[in-house]
Amino acid sequence: MSDFLKLSRDGDVAIVTIDNPPVNALSFHVRAPLMQALGALRDDASVAAIVIACAGRTFVAGADITEFGKPMQQPELRAIVAVLEAIAKPTVAAIHGTALGGGLELALGCHFRVADVGAKLGLPEVKLGLLPGGGGTARLPRLVGALKALRMIGSGTPIGADEAHAVGLVDAVFAGDLATHAVNFAREIARKGGPFTPVRDRNDLLGETELAAFDAEAADLARKARGLEAPVACAQAVRNAVTLPFDQALAAERALFVKLVASNQSRAQRHLFFAEREAAKLPGKDVIKRRIASVGVIGAGTMGGGIAMAFANGGFPVILLETSQEALRRGLATIEKNYAVSVTRGSLSEDAKRQRLAQFKGSTDYADLADCDLIVEAAFEDMAVKKEIFGKLDAVAKPGAILATNTSYLDIDEIAASTSRSRDVLGLHFFSPANVMKLLEIVRAEKTAPDALVTSVDLARRIGKVAVVVGVCHGFVGNRMLAARGAESEALLLEGATPSQVDKAFTDFGWPMGPFQMGDLAGLDIGWRNRKARGLTAAIADTLCEQGRFGQKTGRGFYLYENGSRTPVPDPEVEALIRAKAVEKGVAQRAIGAEEIIERTLYPLVNEGAKILEEKIAARASDIDVVWVNGYGFPVGKGGPMFWAGLEGAARIVERLEHWYRQTGKDVFKPAPLLRRMAETGSWETDATGG
Ligand code: T1G
């Protein structure tokens, strides 16, 4: 048959085994032999039943995403499923690992699906800016009902085998040798005899659809989509399954898919899918990872506690070290409260909470860290404090332990120099809340050993983080670019834009919230402390802090938060303060539109990213996109700042930056040479060889 598809027989049961590592994607070189095999088996009278299975670690994990954006070679998945579904003899999909996207759609073309107890099944296309394009939106509702299908397809979240069995997506769940179970299942089904109803002809569940409830959930999905088209299309396609005849629903799905696959939003989200995986690739394949089995965290404050939780959640025992029993008690109490909230919300079981809390051991004695394989310092953001801590670690940590700092800004080379083991020192910059935010900036100091880096990248994956390796500079990649994005914040206010207008320009762009609302959420006092430490001022933000207006935590910041509400309410007092400051500074106020706000905030963001690439602080432009989408909420439908620059047009960005540079003389507007190069070449590659 083919290197990617094997045929075998177990008596009168034929087994089709797809073998296309690493995830059995339905690439063209799988689809062609698969179509041939199904036709042959359909017509082979000696075959009583057909099992479709996969070799390797998983059932088909989807269409081959690398094929999108190119002419699709025939046969397409849809045609294969149609042939499969028309086969009269019983067909059984044997699912292990993850049956995702086109993989689950292939399985939906079978009469039956059996799954390994550890299998997961889902239609995650929405995360790629797509919708299931192989009939999933028309078939899944026929097995699990329209509402469950809407939730699965609209979220893209897979379900486990037991849940799949409970909702009718799979017909049996097996532990152990799935292939044998599947063949026996198929033989038994064939022995009992048909008719075998294809999924497309199962309409009972659709008749029970409460369209009002469905439409209410679809409306909620659209609201949360924040301008993304795919979730809305998913809901429409599932609704079509209920209201249209099957073939019309299928045609409507196809039309929606063709539109989405060509959209910038889907191109952006597919870019991010591969960008996240590229970011985890480091030079030096043969580097051996260090063994990390136990973790120490220094500091049980907001960051330290969150970091400790991130490792405990990943199954690591954690020693949490503080300077006093009282500080330790407070930190552990906060951790326990956080887990309790998750239990209340239903996202964590009581048992899991107990298991995670059992991972923690508190201490105030550095000697207790002696056996840790990794120690993460999350103490006060002060160089002297960090140097003292690393000096102590140098004395107690075992040889080969990785010593990491969670600093957001400070020079890690300087911290490393305070130890005798610079090779073991690097940055693990988590984002608050550290147990929630996906991004982990792994900061490569000058002398960090390659194996320490490789170990840290693998560790990020083990605790469910998205890792990006960055270089040492003030603020590394994310925070350095954040400073550029915010450089004009005060000027925009003084010149006449209200905090609400600036924030609305951001949320209209697709951000979850704008910079002023974000400042109120994080606490304006944090920026205030940083500015004072660096001798900087911000007339409006400093004044708000001097008035004790730190944001949500004090009920007032740039906005009002009435009675503990988290909803920002514009505050006339703040707007009066801004006008007074403008008068004081002789700044004429005027109406400022959203386009100007974006030009004076997001164009400098892109420009700083170009400088970061020139300085090799980030290895790839796509790494910067991964940082901003996973650490700061850059809209996935725009692919991150550097991908978006391509959509926006780098030449336009250069032209507008030059305009604002002439107006303000500020460096954030001086176009970086690489940005100019990008405008000419369309590429972010930093050297002529494009290496
Ligand atoms: N196509 C092409 N390459 C893929 C791929 C795919 N669908 N899935 C994974 N890879 C590559 C990946 O880039 C990496 O490559 C390697 O496989 C290992 O992946 C018509 C339109 C299955 C849960 O969205 O979620 O079907 O870096 O590092 O962590 O309706 O891969 O080694 O060179 O992620 O063990 C829908 C996407 C597609 C699932 C495994 N399916 N994949 O995770 O390994 S659209 C998806 C995943 C579709 C139809 C529609 C995960 C995984 P490299 P990995 P992992």
Side-chain angles (χ1 to χ4, degrees):
M1 280 309 294
S2 133
D3 293 344
F4 305 97
L5 188 122
K6 304 264 184 312
L7 278 189
S8 57
R9 292 288 289 266
D10 183 321
D12 57 358
V13 176
I15 302 115
V16 177
T17 303
I18 295 167
D19 188 5
N20 184 26
V23 296
N24 286 313
L26 279 174
S27 312
F28 167 67
H29 55 256
V30 170
R31 296 198 305 273
L34 177 58
M35 179 66 113
Q36 266 185 335
L38 291 173
L41 295 173
R42 172 195 58 207
D43 303 339
D44 182 337
S46 73
V47 171
I50 302 169
V51 170
I52 298 180
C54 285
R57 60 185 168 117
T58 179
F59 192 76
V60 175
D64 182 340
I65 308 172
T66 64
E67 291 181 354
F68 296 143
K70 303 167 193 164
M72 187 61 74
Q73 291 175 283
Q74 301 305 327
E76 292 191 44
L77 172 61
R78 296 177 299 136
I80 294 171
V81 175
V83 165
L84 170 59
E85 193 163 55
I87 294 174
K89 56 190 77 170
T91 53
V92 179
I95 295 170
H96 72 292
T98 51
L100 299 174
L104 181 54
E105 291 175 301
L106 179 67
L108 289 171
C110 295
H111 297 113
F112 302 95
R113 285 146 296 282
V114 299
D116 173 80
V117 67
K120 289 189 176 171
L121 304 88
L123 294 172
E125 289 87 341
V126 70
K127 294 178 180 174
L128 297 170
L130 300 169
L131 85 168
T137 65
R139 290 189 177 89
L140 185 64
R142 283 173 160 75
L143 288 181
V144 306
L147 212 44
K148 180 67 178 175
L150 172 64
R151 291 167 184 164
M152 287 183 67
I153 295 171
S155 68
T157 306
I159 62 175
D162 290 340
E163 183 181 355
H165 189 214
V167 298
L169 180 50
V170 301
D171 302 281
V173 177
F174 296 114
D177 177 359
L178 181 67
T180 304
H181 285 304
V183 167
N184 294 340
F185 180 93
R187 179 169 292 118
E188 181 57 16
I189 290 288
R191 189 188 60 76
K192 283 180 184 167
F196 307 109
T197 311
V199 173
R200 59 171 290 149
D201 295 334
R202 303 185 204 180
N203 299 307
D204 302 355
L205 272 182
L206 296 182
E208 298 167 17
T209 306
E210 287 285 326
L211 271 182
F214 180 95
D215 290 344
E217 284 211 22
D220 192 43
L221 183 66
R223 189 177 52 74
K224 289 174 183 166
R226 275 209 298 273
L228 289 175
E229 296 154 10
V232 177
C234 286
Q236 183 55 56
V238 174
R239 194 179 203 279
N240 290 342
V242 178
T243 58
L244 298 178
F246 182 83
D247 288 325
Q248 285 181 40
L250 223 48
E253 174 194 274
R254 176 68 186 165
L256 286 167
F257 180 82
V258 166
K259 180 171 173 287
L260 287 175
V261 76
S263 70
N264 283 337
Q265 284 186 358
S266 182
R267 286 177 52 232
Q269 290 177 259
R270 295 179 334 240
H271 157 73
L272 289 169
F273 174 85
F274 292 113
E276 277 185 27
R277 287 152 180 82
E278 274 308 299
K281 291 175 185 169
L282 298 179
K285 284 271 184 204
D286 54 352
V287 171
I288 309 294
K289 292 193 285 282
R290 300 187 194 183
R291 178 181 173 277
I292 302 288
S294 64
V295 176
V297 175
I298 299 177
T302 305
M303 286 311 291
I307 293 167
M309 288 177 70
F311 282 104
N313 296 348
F316 290 91
V318 177
I319 296 178
L320 188 57
L321 187 108
E322 254 296 355
T323 51
S324 71
Q325 283 301 335
E326 175 50 25
L328 187 59
R329 188 199 57 72
R330 267 201 316 275
L332 289 169
T334 303
I335 289 169
E336 179 145 17
K337 181 169 66 63
N338 289 343
Y339 281 132
V341 166
S342 299
V343 169
T344 308
R345 283 188 185 147
S347 59
L348 190 71
S349 69
E350 269 296 345
D351 197 32
K353 173 189 159 198
R354 270 195 300 278
Q355 282 171 14
R356 289 186 184 176
L357 286 171
Q359 302 276 58
F360 289 88
K361 179 170 171 276
S363 169
T364 58
D365 181 357
Y366 272 81
D368 288 340
L369 301 176
D371 290 337
C372 290
D373 304 306
L374 164 73
I375 301 165
V376 186
E377 170 273 320
F380 195 62
E381 195 70 350
D382 174 277
M383 184 56 88
V385 168
K386 295 191 188 297
K387 282 183 171 179
E388 183 193 355
I389 289 171
F390 273 79
K392 288 179 181 173
L393 290 179
D394 197 16
V396 301
K398 69 183 182 183
I402 291 178
L403 309 182
T405 172
N406 173 58
T407 183
S408 301
Y409 288 91
L410 299 176
D411 183 339
I412 300 176
D413 291 323
E414 190 177 338
I415 293 172
S418 64
T419 73
S420 64
R421 49 171 113 183
S422 291
R423 290 174 46 76
D424 301 333
V425 177
L426 48 71
L428 290 182
H429 179 216
F430 289 84
F431 286 74
S432 186
N435 52 309
V436 173
M437 292 301 283
K438 302 285 280 181
L439 180 64
L440 177 59
E441 280 185 324
I442 297 175
V443 190
R444 175 197 64 242
E446 190 185 339
K447 295 178 180 162
T448 302
D451 67 332
L453 275 183
V454 167
T455 304
S456 299
V457 169
D458 180 65
L459 196 57
R461 185 184 55 76
R462 290 169 63 187
I463 62 173
K465 296 297 182 187
V466 175
V468 178
V469 176
V470 299
V472 173
C473 68
H474 185 81
F476 315 130
V477 169
N479 284 344
R480 172 172 160 181
M481 290 172 70
L482 182 65
R485 189 190 82 171
E488 283 281 86
S489 293
E490 293 257 324
L492 283 165
L493 295 181
L494 289 169
E495 291 175 34
T498 64
S500 307
Q501 285 166 347
V502 173
D503 286 349
K504 185 175 184 307
F506 272 65
T507 50
D508 288 351
F509 182 87
W511 295 86
M513 63 177 76
F516 296 110
Q517 200 181 336
M518 176 61 84
D520 276 357
L521 175 66
L524 301 178
D525 49 325
I526 295 172
W528 188 35
R529 196 166 48 234
N530 279 345
R531 287 193 296 276
K532 285 195 282 187
R534 300 177 66 210
L536 302 174
T537 59
I540 297 163
D542 290 350
T543 304
L544 292 178
C545 290
E546 284 151 16
Q547 296 173 359
R549 300 181 67 125
F550 292 159
Q552 285 191 22
K553 59 182 155 184
T554 56
R556 302 184 312 155
F558 279 102
Y559 297 96
L560 285 175
Y561 299 89
E562 286 152 359
N563 311 321
S565 156
R566 300 168 70 90
T567 306
V569 175
D571 184 349
E573 275 186 36
V574 171
E575 292 174 13
L577 163 68
I578 292 168
R579 284 193 297 276
K581 285 290 178 190
V583 169
E584 190 184 300
K585 289 174 171 293
V587 176
Q589 296 226 309
R590 61 186 170 87
I592 295 182
E595 190 173 359
E596 177 176 340
I597 292 168
I598 294 301
E599 285 182 8
R600 294 172 68 180
T601 55
L602 301 193
Y603 285 9
L605 181 74
V606 171
N607 198 34
E608 198 64 28
K611 294 173 186 172
I612 281 171
L613 285 171
E614 286 168 344
E615 297 164 30
K616 307 273 186 220
I617 298 292
R620 311 173 189 87
S622 60
D623 286 2
I624 294 173
D625 290 334
V626 172
V627 165
W628 271 85
V629 161
N630 290 284
Y632 299 83
F634 196 100
V636 294
K638 292 187 166 71
M642 311 313 270
F643 185 89
W644 171 67
L647 299 179
E648 186 75 357
R652 168 178 165 68
I653 294 175
V654 169
E655 188 262 325
R656 299 307 296 157
L657 283 171
E658 286 173 333
H659 165 79
W660 292 110
Y661 185 59
R662 285 191 298 273
Q663 295 279 321
T664 68
K666 288 184 179 177
D667 262 353
V668 287
F669 291 126
K670 192 173 181 186
L674 181 58
L675 178 60
R676 292 185 187 283
R677 176 97 153 277
M678 163 59 172
E680 289 155 17
T681 67
S683 163
W684 284 114
E685 291 304 332
T686 50
D687 52 39
T689 57

